[in-house]
Each structure stands twice: as structure tokens, then as C-alpha cells.
């Protein structure tokens, strides 16, 4: 019985140490998610306005730009998956990977060959384990991405879409990331970055205006382009891709920290419940040990008394 009590005490000590670790990780994630939220809020207006500027140039331009014009028969597409470098975030990475795989299957069902680009060690490990080809990969900055990281990612993607598909380029660029909605809700979403769909942008602006209580039929301003609309698009579209990727990186970082906080809180609560259950079991074992010792003492005393009475006779 004493050995069982020692086992309970060792387990309580171990779980208590684990609880301290998960509690510390929960507090760290809570502080990081606040900073990530601020960065998301700061970057979103820039990305939105830059999208509007690109849309205005593409709408007002008489010539079709290759980065805003869909191919008649697209054959190749690129998918950028944003995962994290670290785990301990619940279903954060698995949901993003699942979204990328579903999008890949959809594009392949349309007869397109898909090149996969991945950010984050978790996504890379998933694809390497299954021996799937990765066209490009980046790691080491998913917890706190910078604009320079987004620029490094956007460079190869822009080069790929500027090439002809016959030369190894792609006709479409898609991105899969985890959108931060609230501390309790983060959804893996996929969207097409290029070619820029003017209809989808118009619908998004209409929905945003309606949600904000504004008018949805505002007249667009007229622009004159110097030296040409195509040159303006050449300058704006790389910035557009970089800003969208940067905003998606920040959204994913905030989502990851929120998921880590939620997972660590659950682990801390479970550790507390386990400590309570082990403490009760240890108390029961100690009580049983005490009861057994008392029974042995009483039995021994009774046997001694019986032996003394027998000798007196």
C-alpha cells in the first residue's frame, strides 16, 4: 500500500510541473496574440486600399494586363499554404493543411497542375512525410512575420506567374491561411490572389460597404495614368501581392497564438482535474494504509491478550 501511495505522489508532482509549464505558455500566447491583433488591424486598411487602387487602375485601363487577365485555358496553378513553425496549437495546422489539400484537389479536378509553396515547418513536415513535391518553402518567422518576409515569399510567386505555363510558370496564384475572427474562432480560408478578379473585388467592397452602413453605388473616380496604365500596374501589383501575403501572415500568426492559448488553457484545466483525481486517490490509499495498520495493531493486541489468558489458565 505504501508503494502505491508513492506512485500517486510522483504522478501528482509530475502533473503539477506540467501544469506550471502549460500555464506559462498560455500567458505567453495571450500576450502575443494581442500584439498580433494590433498588427493585423494596422495592416488591413493598407491592403484594402491597395486592392482598391489596383482595381481602379485595372478597371480604367484600356489594355489588358497579363496579371489581371485570366488565361483562356489555364493549365497550371500555384497554392501558397501558411502553417506554423511550432505545434501545441490544437487543430490550427491540420485545418490549414486540409484546406490546402481540398483546394489542390479542386484545381486538379479542373485539369490544372498544382505547384505547392509552403510557409512553416509543420506544413513542410506534412508534405515531406508523404513525399509530395514542394516548389518553395520558408520557415523561421511564423510567430512574428515582417514585411520583409512577405516580400521574400512574394518574389518567387510573382516570377512564376509572369512566366508562361509552358516554361514552368503558373496561370493562377491561390493562398490558404487561417483567418483570425475572434479569440475563440479562427477559420482556414482559401482565396485567389492572381489574376485579380475585378468582380470578386467589387462584391467584397459592396459587402463591406453594406456592413458598414454606407452606400454601395458610389461613383468611381476617373484617372489619367502617367506614363501608362500598364506601367502603373507593373509597379502596383507586386506591392499588392506582398501586402496581401503580409496580411495573411499576420492573420495566421494571430490565429496560431489564439489557438495555442486555447489549447494550453485546456491542458492546464485538464492537469488541474487530474491533480484533483490523483489527490483523492492518494488520500484513499493513505486512509486504506492507516486502516490496515490499525487493523494489524488491533489484531496483534487481541492475539497477545488471548495468549496471556491461555497462559494464566
Amino acid at each position: 500500500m505504501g508503494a502505491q501511495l508513492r506512485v500517486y505522489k510522483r504522478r501528482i508532482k509530475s502533473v503539477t510541473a506540467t501544469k506550471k509549464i502549460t500555464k506559462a505558455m498560455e500567458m505567453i500566447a495571450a500576450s502575443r496574440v494581442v500584439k498580433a491583433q494590433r498588427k493585423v488591424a494596422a495592416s488591413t486598411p493598407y491592403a484594402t486600399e491597395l486592392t482598391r487602387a489596383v482595381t481602379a487602375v485595372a478597371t480604367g485601363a484600356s489594355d489588358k494586363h497579363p496579371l489581371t487577365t485570366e488565361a483562356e485555358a489555364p493549365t497550371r496553378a500555384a497554392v501558397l499554404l501558411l502553417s506554423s513553425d511550432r505545434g501545441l496549437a490544437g487543430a490550427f495546422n491540420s485545418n490549414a493543411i486540409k484546406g490546402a489539400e481540398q483546394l489542390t484537389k479542386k484545381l486538379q479536378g479542373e485539369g490544372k497542375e498544382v505547384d505547392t509553396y509552403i510557409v512553416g515547418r509543420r506544413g513542410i513536415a506534412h508534405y515531406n512525410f508523404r513525399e509530395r513535391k514542394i516548389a518553395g518553402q520558408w520557415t523561421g518567422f511564423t510567430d512574428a512575420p515582417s514585411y520583409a518576409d512577405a516580400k521574400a515569399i512574394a518574389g518567387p510567386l510573382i516570377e512564376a506567374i509572369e512566366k508562361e505555363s509552358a516554361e514552368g510558370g503558373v496561370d493562377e496564384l491561390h493562398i490558404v491561411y487561417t483567418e483570425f475572427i475572434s479569440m475563440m474562432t479562427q477559420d482556414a480560408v482559401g482565396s485567389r490572389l492572381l489574376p485579380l478578379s475585378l468582380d470578386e473585388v467589387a462584391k467584397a467592397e459592396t459587402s463591406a460597404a453594406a456592413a458598414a452602413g454606407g452606400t454601395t453605388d458610389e461613383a468611381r473616380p476617373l484617372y489619367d495614368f502617367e506614363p501608362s496604365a500598364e506601367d502603373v500596374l507593373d509597379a502596383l501589383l507586386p506591392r499588392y501581392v506582398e501586402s496581401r501575403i503580409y496580411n495573411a501572415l499576420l492573420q495566421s500568426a494571430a490565429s496560431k497564438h489564439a489557438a495555442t492559448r486555447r489549447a494550453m488553457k485546456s491542458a492546464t484545466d485538464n492537469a488541474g482535474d487530474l491533480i484533483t483525481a490523483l489527490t483523492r486517490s492518494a488520500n484513499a490509499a493513505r486512509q486504506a494504509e492507516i486502516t490496515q495498520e490499525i487493523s494489524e495493531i488491533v489484531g496483534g493486541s487481541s492475539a497477545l491478550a488471548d495468549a496471556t489468558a491461555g497462559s494464566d489458565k
Side-chain angles (χ1 to χ4, degrees), residues 71 90 107 118:
L107 294 173
I118 304 178

Side-chain angles (χ1 to χ4, degrees), residues 220-239:
R220 291 183 177 273
L222 299 177
Y223 294 92
D224 289 330
F225 305 110
E226 294 287 346
S228 67
E230 185 175 354
D231 292 335
V232 174
L233 282 175
D234 287 338
L236 282 181
L237 278 169
R239 305 294 177 268

Side-chain angles (χ1 to χ4, degrees), residues 79-83 89 91-103 175-182 184-191 248 251-252 255-256 259 262:
V79 174
L80 174 63
L81 167 62
L82 303 187
S83 64
F92 170 81
N93 287 299
S94 61
N95 288 339
I97 293 171
K98 186 183 299 182
E101 290 179 341
Q102 291 175 351
L103 178 58
I175 183 171
V176 178
Y177 65 100
T178 306
E179 182 181 12
F180 181 86
I181 299 175
S182 67
M184 298 302 297
T185 306
Q186 302 89 38
D187 291 336
V189 297
S191 61
Q251 294 263 7
S252 293
S255 300
K256 190 268 178 184
R262 189 167 61 251

Side-chain angles (χ1 to χ4, degrees), residues 62-254:
S62 57
D63 297 331
K64 292 184 178 181
H65 193 274
L67 300 185
T68 58
T69 305
E70 297 188 23
E72 295 182 358
T75 58
R76 291 176 59 87
V79 174
L80 174 63
L81 167 62
L82 303 187
S83 64
S84 67
D85 289 325
R86 301 178 182 180
L88 300 177
F92 170 81
N93 287 299
S94 61
N95 288 339
I97 293 171
K98 186 183 299 182
E101 290 179 341
Q102 291 175 351
L103 178 58
T104 300
K105 289 182 180 179
K106 178 183 176 183
L107 294 173
Q108 290 175 343
E110 296 173 355
K112 301 172 185 175
E113 185 179 351
V114 178
D115 292 340
T116 303
Y117 297 79
I118 304 178
V119 175
R121 292 189 178 93
R122 291 294 171 174
I124 294 171
H126 177 87
Y127 275 70
N128 285 338
F129 180 77
R130 289 158 179 79
E131 297 181 351
R132 298 177 183 174
K133 183 180 177 181
I134 302 175
Q137 58 188 36
W138 300 267
T139 60
F141 53 82
T142 57
D143 284 349
S146 64
Y147 193 86
D149 299 322
K151 191 172 183 178
I153 297 170
L157 296 175
I158 294 174
E159 290 179 3
I161 202 167
E162 286 179 341
K163 290 182 181 178
E164 295 292 337
S165 58
E167 300 175 357
V170 297
D171 301 311
E172 297 177 357
L173 171 59
H174 299 260
I175 183 171
V176 178
Y177 65 100
T178 306
E179 182 181 12
F180 181 86
I181 299 175
S182 67
M183 291 294 292
M184 298 302 297
T185 306
Q186 302 89 38
D187 291 336
V189 297
S191 61
R192 192 180 75 178
L193 294 183
L194 293 175
L196 182 63
S197 177
L198 303 182
D199 293 337
E200 292 181 3
V201 173
K203 290 179 181 179
E205 291 183 355
T206 300
S207 300
T215 59
T216 59
D217 54 352
E218 296 180 357
R220 291 183 177 273
L222 299 177
Y223 294 92
D224 289 330
F225 305 110
E226 294 287 346
S228 67
E230 185 175 354
D231 292 335
V232 174
L233 282 175
D234 287 338
L236 282 181
L237 278 169
R239 305 294 177 268
Y240 161 76
V241 176
E242 292 167 5
S243 66
R244 288 290 301 272
I245 292 177
Y246 180 53
N247 184 259
L249 286 171
L250 294 177
Q251 294 263 7
S252 293

